[in-house]
Amino acid sequence: MSAIAPPFNPAAVLPAGWAPASLAPGSRGRRPHPWSPAWCQGRSPLFWLGANGAVLLGYLVLGWAVGRFFAAYGLFPSPIWLPAGLAAAAAMLGGWRLAPGIFLGSLVVNGSVLGSDWGLAAVVSLGNALGPLAGAALSRRFRPAPGLFTRFGGVVAFLAGLVLLHALITASTGTLALWWLGGARPEELPGLWSGWLLCDAGGTFYFTPSLAMWLGLERTPPQRGRSWLVLDGAVWLATAGLAALVFSFRLPEGLPTAQMVFLLAVPLSWIALRISLRAAYTLLTLICVIASAGTVMGYGPFQSGAVANPMQSVGLLIVLCAMNILTLIALVSERREAEAALAEANRTLEWRVAARTEELRREAETDSLTGLANRRSFFHRAEAMLRRDRAVGQPFCLLALDLDYFKAINDSAGHAAGDAVLRAAAERLVAQLRAQDLPGRIGGEEFAVALPGTDLAEGARVAERLRAVLSTVPLPPAVGRARLSASLGIASAGPQDQNLEDLLRRADAALYAAKRGGRDQAQEAV
């Protein structure tokens, strides 16, 4: 059956899925971010027990590996303390809930692996737990909503909190503990403090960003949808291989290799922009491991007579490359997200313009009272139906319909009552028609119905059905009669009809013949 025009649905005017992001499915109800309190709520005690155990084990493994490795080459305290990076990531993930794992891991490493007095180890471990917690709290406080690594302000928040404040607390606590409990002389404290600060800051720089992104603690900045192409993968592998090669040999004296190795920042920037920040920082962490191991064993460009402190140069390499790719990707991400926001705003504007255009078109073609096609729209669409049916040799029928004594309804019951009768009549007409039929209101109480593919005999049956159903429309008591009646004229398209107007004139003539014949009837045109 046909239907009165439904309520306007703007989404129907555009292809599927091309709605503004604010209206698109899935734009709401995203999972809470791991940094948010909502993420921690509802986690069972067993979950946090297991997480603390994992942090303790990770801290122990990293502390043992770094301590033993650097101590074997006379370079402990380590210039880069990797457990600091794990502690920072744990503080990002669970905050104070993972403090026991950080504290116990540090306690076991300092007391058992490094052989410190247990009292001294406890104080140092307290600082090692408080430092990342305070740093994470500061970074969280100033973290931009899109994430630490997608805004330059986020990179600054990462440096201020998780790198600097973290290292300041651990270094200060550890240095005071060495003076108070370890017997360190006052003149040694500045050197101990600065070395400890660089040690923990370097460890956080070493792999906290990559660990945070791999664990989903921080979102990876948006890319342009590129996948790992052959060229991108080749650059990644070649950069890792070049770093391994450079730090595997004792290079000849006099070559500017110590300066040239900093050119590794170039392919790292390429990877950050072409692949992802996660891929670039993962590679940087690998380069850090290679550079540290090679330098400690006496290989690589920093083991030349021109470099006073080889491990300090390794630290500078880490800081330069890390700051370069973090700052670069943050600035690029801001630009990309601004471009995406502009594109989304343009799509939203296009969507709204298309929706409003469609709404105005429907309003221009629809009778506002009954929801049927108005006179202009009816003539346009019915004319197209007539031409189509004639082209394929199909019959075409047109009904002209007028409600009897309608003026008396308005005069006796008022125009509001008359409007209600018109709406009820339209609803009953539509209920009796097929989906391909076209009803329209072409005057005050005058209607027309186009019946494509319908001959005169079937048209007459439709007209009689419409007359009968209209008689069920109740009238206000003031009208003086119980039901509505209608007169109809039926015309079938023939050779004499050049266009729809000719056909409508014949249907109107049959309609007036029905009125002259006593109304409440249907007449066929001759």
Side-chain angles (χ1 to χ4, degrees):
M1 296 294 178
S2 178
I4 296 177
F8 175 62
N9 177 15
V13 306
L14 293 177
W18 196 33
S22 59
L23 302 179
S27 62
R28 300 184 184 273
R30 295 185 176 125
R31 293 184 303 170
H33 191 273
W35 282 54
S36 68
W39 188 87
C40 295
Q41 292 173 357
R43 303 284 174 176
S44 67
L46 187 61
F47 171 85
W48 292 116
L49 181 63
N52 274 283
V55 171
L56 189 157
L57 180 60
Y59 203 108
L60 179 61
V61 170
L62 290 174
W64 177 86
V66 174
R68 290 299 184 189
F69 179 75
F70 287 114
Y73 291 91
L75 290 171
F76 192 84
S78 167
I80 301 167
W81 183 241
L82 292 185
L86 176 66
M92 293 171 68
L93 176 64
W96 60 266
R97 297 171 180 81
L98 294 181
I102 301 172
F103 174 81
L104 292 174
S106 175
L107 182 65
V108 173
V109 169
N110 282 280
S112 296
V113 177
L114 305 181
S116 299
D117 176 80
W118 284 101
L120 173 62
V123 176
V124 169
S125 299
L126 181 63
N128 287 347
L130 293 178
L133 293 179
L138 181 63
S139 295
R140 181 187 296 111
R141 171 65 180 81
F142 294 101
R143 175 186 182 271
L148 281 180
F149 307 126
T150 59
R151 294 290 185 273
F152 182 73
V155 174
V156 173
F158 170 74
L159 294 175
L162 287 162
V163 177
L164 294 180
L165 181 60
H166 170 193
L168 282 170
I169 293 176
T170 56
S172 299
T173 305
T175 303
L176 289 175
L178 288 176
W179 169 68
W180 180 35
L181 299 174
R185 295 188 302 272
E187 61 271 18
E188 296 176 329
L189 297 184
L192 290 172
W193 181 84
S194 60
W196 203 309
L197 180 74
L198 294 175
C199 171
D200 279 5
T204 304
F205 252 134
Y206 212 93
F207 74 103
T208 296
S210 56
L211 185 61
M213 285 182 283
W214 279 109
L215 292 177
L217 305 182
E218 276 297 335
R219 61 186 286 248
T220 300
Q223 303 298 309
R224 295 188 181 276
R226 296 186 61 88
S227 60
W228 276 53
L229 303 178
V230 174
L231 178 60
D232 300 331
V235 170
W236 198 98
L237 293 173
T239 305
L242 178 61
L245 182 65
V246 167
F247 287 96
S248 298
F249 296 96
R250 288 184 176 88
L251 301 176
E253 295 287 342
L255 294 179
T257 50
Q259 293 78 24
M260 293 180 64
V261 75
F262 287 90
L263 293 177
L264 287 171
V266 176
L268 283 168
S269 300
W270 166 287
I271 293 165
L273 294 174
R274 291 268 297 185
I275 305 175
S276 71
L277 174 60
R278 184 169 61 187
Y281 217 99
T282 301
L283 177 58
L284 175 59
T285 300
L286 178 60
I287 292 174
C288 292
V289 173
I290 294 171
S292 300
T295 301
V296 166
M297 290 186 291
Y299 302 123
F302 299 135
Q303 290 290 6
S304 66
V307 179
N309 190 329
M311 288 307 299
Q312 187 178 55
S313 296
V314 172
L316 289 175
L317 173 67
I318 295 170
V319 171
L320 172 66
C321 293
M323 286 301 301
N324 179 65
I325 62 175
L326 286 177
T327 304
L328 176 65
I329 201 65
L331 294 174
V332 171
S333 294
E334 288 186 20
R335 177 175 177 179
R336 287 176 178 172
E337 292 192 8
E339 292 174 350
L342 179 61
E344 174 64 20
N346 288 336
R347 286 194 296 270
T348 300
L349 180 60
E350 292 173 3
W351 185 87
R352 289 176 176 170
V353 168
R356 182 57 179 162
T357 301
E358 175 65 11
E359 184 178 10
L360 291 174
R361 183 192 67 79
R362 290 173 65 94
E363 289 177 357
E365 296 180 354
T366 303
D367 176 60
S368 60
L369 178 63
T370 63
L372 302 180
N374 60 21
R375 181 182 181 89
R376 179 176 177 275
S377 175
F378 177 82
F379 272 83
H380 177 75
R381 294 165 62 186
E383 181 74 47
M385 290 179 176
L386 174 61
R387 289 197 301 268
R388 182 194 61 203
D389 281 4
R390 276 188 161 170
V392 296
Q394 290 290 325
F396 184 89
C397 212
L398 185 67
L399 304 183
L401 184 153
D402 186 84
L403 302 181
D404 296 330
Y405 305 110
F406 188 77
K407 185 176 182 300
I409 299 174
N410 284 334
D411 292 343
S412 58
H415 286 278
D419 290 348
V421 170
L422 288 173
R423 284 192 293 268
E427 291 173 359
R428 282 165 170 75
L429 287 176
V430 168
Q432 296 298 316
L433 297 174
R434 304 168 300 177
Q436 63 266 36
D437 297 336
L438 176 64
R441 184 186 178 199
I442 60 175
E445 67 272 20
E446 300 175 14
F447 298 85
V449 181
L451 302 172
T454 303
D455 57 20
L456 185 60
E458 179 61 25
R461 286 191 288 270
V462 173
E464 184 56 34
R465 192 164 66 244
L466 296 182
R467 186 198 64 79
V469 75
L470 289 173
S471 68
T472 65
V473 176
L475 297 177
V479 175
R481 53 194 175 99
R483 64 180 182 86
L484 181 69
S485 66
S487 300
L488 297 92
I490 312 122
S492 180
Q496 70 274 34
D497 301 309
Q498 299 298 316
N499 50 43
L500 186 71
E501 290 185 2
D502 292 342
L503 187 59
L504 182 59
R505 276 194 292 269
R506 294 200 299 116
D508 276 340
L511 168 64
Y512 286 108
K515 285 187 174 292
R516 289 192 298 271
R519 291 183 169 82
D520 196 17
Q521 58 181 285
Q523 290 284 348
E524 297 178 6
V526 293

